[in-house]
């Protein structure tokens, strides 16, 4: 549910809310405003801080105000050490505050006091922290956080800061919704419908859909062959946003496997159960496009989504089959579970034809990337050092982390095939799986400055579900171009 935000500049004791959230560093120093509040509360704040609160990053302490001020409860959040403080920490504090407010069933939450420059990160945290995916529970919960009061000057600048931040976080939540949705309810055609919805609600965006027939016509043998085993027809979605006076063009390509069973090279059950997430790259592209109208960048943006389902059947692609991709290059498919790079090959060829200044693909490409980097860090592979540099700067701002992996020419050896231009498994045997995935994709980028983001790990967190990882990065990247 969307929460309403409002700005209010009222003395803290007069704020009418179910919970009033404050944040303090480890030094626990109270501002003048908080000193005053403590007096009205009869020293409640100081005594609680002394005994029950250290100010550690993310620490939460809830206190009853017993009717001494208008707010029923006070939530104090720890900001950690002043020296280590950054906007990413603040975003996490926003998340922690909302979770504490929801746990105490607050409907109206006021957050104060803080520097105005912190508004965006806090608001983002609040919107992200309020996210839940409970549509399939038959029992609906009644208690909902409805309103957030940000205690700050009611100025045009602050209003805009709140709105923009809320939109960015909502774009991330939209991507999370798509990833959390089971494959029974989110097919390749649903991806098409989502793209149509975005186009309908955003004037400057146009949309081209290539269905199975059009894909055959242009020779997109990668997408078509992976889709062969499924009853769901494949699509290539092409969203574009072309503002007047744009000096740069960026192409985003998102892997859109709405379910990856592995195909004939069937996955074992424990590796298959979360494979509805194999469209998380596509979800990032859709998330970013849903936000474009709110920040109107002066950059031309294209979003390419090859989308299909990887299933076993009598018609499915077989191990050992040779296919011809959109680029004309042939691939010997030794393992049908290594399908991501095959559909992305067509997406990248399609994207490269648009001659962008920068092309980024986002894909849940390899489980090996999770083994190497865990679920906090995505793999980054580039064909030019300056692209990695740009990604590094963006990452510093958003807090979404990437680790640069090499694409050594020597490892291209692994992609050789006896009977086709490439094989799809690289060395096999678990050797440099993530890297050979990147090298395979590089064959289709036509020397355009490019980054491959293997987001298999951070798009999903146990117990939390989809994270929307990548949306912030791409939004920030577009803003920085
Ligand atoms: N979609 C998977 C990768 C994946 C695994 C994403 C876990 C998210 C979580 C991909 O299509 C795949 O099956 N990759 C194989 C490649 C390997 C056989 C070379 C993998 O990672 O096991
Ligand atoms: Zn697979
Ligand atoms: Zn896959």
């Amino acid at each position: 549910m969307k929460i309403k935000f409002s700005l209010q500049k009222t003395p803290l004791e007069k704020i009418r809310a179910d919970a009033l959230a404050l944040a303090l560093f480890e030094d626990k120093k109270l501002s003048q405003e908080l000193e005053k509040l403590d007096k009205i509360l009869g020293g409640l704040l100081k005594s609680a801080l002394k005994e029950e609160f250290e100010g550690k990053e993310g620490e939460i302490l809830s206190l009853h105000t017993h009717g001494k001020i208008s707010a029923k409860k006070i939530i104090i959040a720890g900001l950690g050490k002043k020296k280590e403080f950054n906007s990413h920490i603040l975003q996490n504090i926003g998340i922690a505050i909302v979770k504490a407010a929801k746990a105490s069933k607050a409907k109206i939450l006021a957050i104060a006091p803080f520097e105005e420059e912190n508004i965006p990160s806090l608001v983002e945290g609040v919107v992200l922290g309020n996210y839940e995916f409970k549509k399939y529970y038959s029992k609906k919960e009644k208690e909902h956080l409805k309103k957030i009061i940000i205690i700050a000057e009611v100025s045009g600048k602050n209003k805009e800061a709140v709105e923009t931040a809320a939109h960015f976080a909502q774009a991330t939540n939209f991507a999370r919704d798509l990833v959390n949705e089971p494959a029974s309810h989110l097919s390749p055609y649903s991806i098409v419908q989502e793209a149509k919805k975005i186009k309908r609600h955003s004037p400057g965006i146009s949309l081209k859909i290539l269905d199975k027939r059009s894909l055959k016509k242009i020779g997109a043998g990668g997408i078509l062959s992976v889709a062969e085993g499924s009853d769901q027809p494949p699509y290539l979605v092409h969203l574009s946003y072309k503002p007047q006076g744009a000096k740069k063009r960026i192409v985003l390509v998102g892997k859109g496997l709405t379910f990856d069973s592995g195909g004939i090279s069937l996955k074992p059950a424990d590796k298959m159960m979360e494979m509805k997430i194999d469209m998380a790259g596509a979800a990032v592209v859709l998330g970013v496009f849903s936000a474009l109208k709110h920040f109107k960048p002066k950059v031309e943006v294209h979003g390419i989504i090859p989308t299909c389902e990887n299933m076993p059947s009598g018609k499915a692609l077989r191990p050992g089959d040779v296919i011809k991709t959109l680029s004309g290059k042939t691939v010997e498919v030794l393992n049908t579970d290594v399908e991501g790079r095959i559909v992305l090959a067509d997406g990248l060829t399609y994207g490269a034809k648009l001659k962008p200044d920068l092309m980024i693909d986002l894909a849940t490409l390899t489980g090996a990337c999770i083994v190497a980097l865990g679920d906090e860090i995505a793999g980054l592979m580039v064909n030019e050092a300056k692209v990695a540099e740009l990604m590094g700067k963006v990452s510093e701002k958003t807090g979404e982390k990437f680790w640069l992996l090499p694409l050594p020419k020597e490892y291209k050896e692994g992609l050789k095939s006896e009977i086709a231009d490439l094989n799809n498994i690289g060395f096999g045997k678990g050797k440099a799986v993530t890297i050979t995935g990147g090298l395979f994709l590089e064959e289709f980028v036509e020397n355009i400055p490019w980054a491959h983001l293997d987001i298999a790990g951070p798009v999903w967190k146990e117990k939390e579900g989809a994270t929307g990882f990548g949306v912030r990065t791409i939004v920030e990247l577009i803003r920085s171009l």
Side-chain angles (χ1 to χ4, degrees), residues 40-41 44 62-74:
I40 298 169
L41 285 165
L44 175 77
S62 293
L63 302 170
H64 267 285
T65 60
H66 302 292
K68 290 190 174 122
I69 61 172
S70 301
K72 290 180 205 151
K73 261 191 182 170
I74 290 186

PDB file of all heavy atoms in Angstrom, residues 40-41 44 62-74:
ATOM      1  N   ILE A  40       9.887  18.021  29.076  1.00  0.00           N
ATOM      2  CA  ILE A  40       8.431  17.828  29.080  1.00  0.00           C
ATOM      3  C   ILE A  40       8.082  16.390  29.467  1.00  0.00           C
ATOM      4  O   ILE A  40       7.102  16.118  30.143  1.00  0.00           O
ATOM      5  CB  ILE A  40       7.832  18.185  27.697  1.00  0.00           C
ATOM      6  CG1 ILE A  40       8.100  19.659  27.390  1.00  0.00           C
ATOM      7  CG2 ILE A  40       6.335  17.895  27.645  1.00  0.00           C
ATOM      8  CD1 ILE A  40       7.809  20.097  25.987  1.00  0.00           C
ATOM      9  N   LEU A  41       8.952  15.472  29.055  1.00  0.00           N
ATOM     10  CA  LEU A  41       8.725  14.051  29.364  1.00  0.00           C
ATOM     11  C   LEU A  41       9.208  13.678  30.767  1.00  0.00           C
ATOM     12  O   LEU A  41       9.181  12.509  31.152  1.00  0.00           O
ATOM     13  CB  LEU A  41       9.451  13.175  28.344  1.00  0.00           C
ATOM     14  CG  LEU A  41       8.819  13.074  26.945  1.00  0.00           C
ATOM     15  CD1 LEU A  41       9.808  12.495  25.962  1.00  0.00           C
ATOM     16  CD2 LEU A  41       7.542  12.258  26.976  1.00  0.00           C
ATOM     17  N   LEU A  44      12.359  11.225  30.981  1.00  0.00           N
ATOM     18  CA  LEU A  44      12.171   9.852  30.487  1.00  0.00           C
ATOM     19  C   LEU A  44      13.216   9.467  29.433  1.00  0.00           C
ATOM     20  O   LEU A  44      13.793   8.376  29.456  1.00  0.00           O
ATOM     21  CB  LEU A  44      10.759   9.738  29.892  1.00  0.00           C
ATOM     22  CG  LEU A  44      10.405   8.418  29.219  1.00  0.00           C
ATOM     23  CD1 LEU A  44      10.107   7.361  30.264  1.00  0.00           C
ATOM     24  CD2 LEU A  44       9.190   8.584  28.297  1.00  0.00           C
ATOM     25  N   SER A  62      11.973   1.519  21.891  1.00  0.00           N
ATOM     26  CA  SER A  62      10.621   2.105  21.895  1.00  0.00           C
ATOM     27  C   SER A  62      10.217   2.476  23.315  1.00  0.00           C
ATOM     28  O   SER A  62      10.428   1.699  24.247  1.00  0.00           O
ATOM     29  CB  SER A  62       9.610   1.103  21.342  1.00  0.00           C
ATOM     30  OG  SER A  62       9.862   0.877  19.985  1.00  0.00           O
ATOM     31  N   LEU A  63       9.623   3.649  23.486  1.00  0.00           N
ATOM     32  CA  LEU A  63       9.193   4.121  24.817  1.00  0.00           C
ATOM     33  C   LEU A  63       7.751   4.600  24.776  1.00  0.00           C
ATOM     34  O   LEU A  63       7.332   5.226  23.801  1.00  0.00           O
ATOM     35  CB  LEU A  63      10.048   5.315  25.256  1.00  0.00           C
ATOM     36  CG  LEU A  63      11.557   5.147  25.346  1.00  0.00           C
ATOM     37  CD1 LEU A  63      12.200   6.506  25.563  1.00  0.00           C
ATOM     38  CD2 LEU A  63      11.917   4.204  26.477  1.00  0.00           C
ATOM     39  N   HIS A  64       7.011   4.322  25.822  1.00  0.00           N
ATOM     40  CA  HIS A  64       5.668   4.893  25.960  1.00  0.00           C
ATOM     41  C   HIS A  64       5.785   6.304  26.495  1.00  0.00           C
ATOM     42  O   HIS A  64       6.610   6.576  27.347  1.00  0.00           O
ATOM     43  CB  HIS A  64       4.856   4.065  26.964  1.00  0.00           C
ATOM     44  CG  HIS A  64       4.057   3.017  26.274  1.00  0.00           C
ATOM     45  ND1 HIS A  64       2.910   3.313  25.577  1.00  0.00           N
ATOM     46  CD2 HIS A  64       4.253   1.683  26.149  1.00  0.00           C
ATOM     47  CE1 HIS A  64       2.422   2.210  25.055  1.00  0.00           C
ATOM     48  NE2 HIS A  64       3.219   1.195  25.384  1.00  0.00           N
ATOM     49  N   THR A  65       4.944   7.204  26.013  1.00  0.00           N
ATOM     50  CA  THR A  65       5.054   8.582  26.480  1.00  0.00           C
ATOM     51  C   THR A  65       4.026   8.884  27.579  1.00  0.00           C
ATOM     52  O   THR A  65       4.018   9.967  28.137  1.00  0.00           O
ATOM     53  CB  THR A  65       4.869   9.576  25.319  1.00  0.00           C
ATOM     54  OG1 THR A  65       3.566   9.360  24.771  1.00  0.00           O
ATOM     55  CG2 THR A  65       5.909   9.375  24.249  1.00  0.00           C
ATOM     56  N   HIS A  66       3.160   7.933  27.881  1.00  0.00           N
ATOM     57  CA  HIS A  66       2.165   8.048  28.956  1.00  0.00           C
ATOM     58  C   HIS A  66       1.408   9.366  28.939  1.00  0.00           C
ATOM     59  O   HIS A  66       1.188   9.994  29.969  1.00  0.00           O
ATOM     60  CB  HIS A  66       2.835   7.843  30.326  1.00  0.00           C
ATOM     61  CG  HIS A  66       3.504   6.512  30.416  1.00  0.00           C
ATOM     62  ND1 HIS A  66       2.812   5.322  30.430  1.00  0.00           N
ATOM     63  CD2 HIS A  66       4.816   6.175  30.445  1.00  0.00           C
ATOM     64  CE1 HIS A  66       3.664   4.317  30.485  1.00  0.00           C
ATOM     65  NE2 HIS A  66       4.885   4.794  30.479  1.00  0.00           N
ATOM     66  N   GLY A  67       1.071   9.822  27.743  1.00  0.00           N
ATOM     67  CA  GLY A  67       0.238  11.018  27.614  1.00  0.00           C
ATOM     68  C   GLY A  67       0.935  12.333  27.909  1.00  0.00           C
ATOM     69  O   GLY A  67       0.296  13.379  27.946  1.00  0.00           O
ATOM     70  N   LYS A  68       2.247  12.285  28.111  1.00  0.00           N
ATOM     71  CA  LYS A  68       2.949  13.544  28.435  1.00  0.00           C
ATOM     72  C   LYS A  68       3.154  14.416  27.195  1.00  0.00           C
ATOM     73  O   LYS A  68       3.355  15.624  27.317  1.00  0.00           O
ATOM     74  CB  LYS A  68       4.287  13.237  29.093  1.00  0.00           C
ATOM     75  CG  LYS A  68       4.097  12.673  30.494  1.00  0.00           C
ATOM     76  CD  LYS A  68       5.427  12.609  31.205  1.00  0.00           C
ATOM     77  CE  LYS A  68       5.216  12.191  32.648  1.00  0.00           C
ATOM     78  NZ  LYS A  68       5.961  10.980  32.992  1.00  0.00           N
ATOM     79  N   ILE A  69       3.175  13.816  26.020  1.00  0.00           N
ATOM     80  CA  ILE A  69       3.220  14.585  24.768  1.00  0.00           C
ATOM     81  C   ILE A  69       2.135  14.020  23.846  1.00  0.00           C
ATOM     82  O   ILE A  69       1.519  12.991  24.163  1.00  0.00           O
ATOM     83  CB  ILE A  69       4.611  14.509  24.068  1.00  0.00           C
ATOM     84  CG1 ILE A  69       4.943  13.056  23.696  1.00  0.00           C
ATOM     85  CG2 ILE A  69       5.690  15.126  24.930  1.00  0.00           C
ATOM     86  CD1 ILE A  69       6.188  12.916  22.834  1.00  0.00           C
ATOM     87  N   SER A  70       1.914  14.682  22.706  1.00  0.00           N
ATOM     88  CA  SER A  70       0.821  14.231  21.829  1.00  0.00           C
ATOM     89  C   SER A  70       1.086  12.868  21.198  1.00  0.00           C
ATOM     90  O   SER A  70       0.154  12.108  20.942  1.00  0.00           O
ATOM     91  CB  SER A  70       0.580  15.256  20.724  1.00  0.00           C
ATOM     92  OG  SER A  70       0.249  16.488  21.307  1.00  0.00           O
ATOM     93  N   ALA A  71       2.345  12.576  20.904  1.00  0.00           N
ATOM     94  CA  ALA A  71       2.653  11.270  20.302  1.00  0.00           C
ATOM     95  C   ALA A  71       2.580  10.179  21.367  1.00  0.00           C
ATOM     96  O   ALA A  71       3.005  10.385  22.503  1.00  0.00           O
ATOM     97  CB  ALA A  71       4.042  11.303  19.669  1.00  0.00           C
ATOM     98  N   LYS A  72       2.022   9.014  20.992  1.00  0.00           N
ATOM     99  CA  LYS A  72       1.829   7.958  21.984  1.00  0.00           C
ATOM    100  C   LYS A  72       3.107   7.228  22.339  1.00  0.00           C
ATOM    101  O   LYS A  72       3.268   6.704  23.429  1.00  0.00           O
ATOM    102  CB  LYS A  72       0.809   6.953  21.440  1.00  0.00           C
ATOM    103  CG  LYS A  72      -0.604   7.519  21.375  1.00  0.00           C
ATOM    104  CD  LYS A  72      -1.567   6.482  20.821  1.00  0.00           C
ATOM    105  CE  LYS A  72      -2.776   7.176  20.196  1.00  0.00           C
ATOM    106  NZ  LYS A  72      -3.353   6.399  19.105  1.00  0.00           N
ATOM    107  N   LYS A  73       3.982   7.152  21.358  1.00  0.00           N
ATOM    108  CA  LYS A  73       5.215   6.395  21.564  1.00  0.00           C
ATOM    109  C   LYS A  73       6.392   7.142  20.978  1.00  0.00           C
ATOM    110  O   LYS A  73       6.235   7.945  20.062  1.00  0.00           O
ATOM    111  CB  LYS A  73       5.112   5.059  20.816  1.00  0.00           C
ATOM    112  CG  LYS A  73       4.725   3.918  21.708  1.00  0.00           C
ATOM    113  CD  LYS A  73       4.915   2.628  20.965  1.00  0.00           C
ATOM    114  CE  LYS A  73       4.483   1.477  21.858  1.00  0.00           C
ATOM    115  NZ  LYS A  73       4.409   0.235  21.126  1.00  0.00           N
ATOM    116  N   ILE A  74       7.556   6.848  21.504  1.00  0.00           N
ATOM    117  CA  ILE A  74       8.771   7.382  20.887  1.00  0.00           C
ATOM    118  C   ILE A  74       9.617   6.212  20.433  1.00  0.00           C
ATOM    119  O   ILE A  74       9.788   5.225  21.168  1.00  0.00           O
ATOM    120  CB  ILE A  74       9.559   8.246  21.890  1.00  0.00           C
ATOM    121  CG1 ILE A  74       8.778   9.537  22.164  1.00  0.00           C
ATOM    122  CG2 ILE A  74      10.940   8.576  21.350  1.00  0.00           C
ATOM    123  CD1 ILE A  74       9.518  10.524  23.026  1.00  0.00           C
TER     124      ILE A  74
END
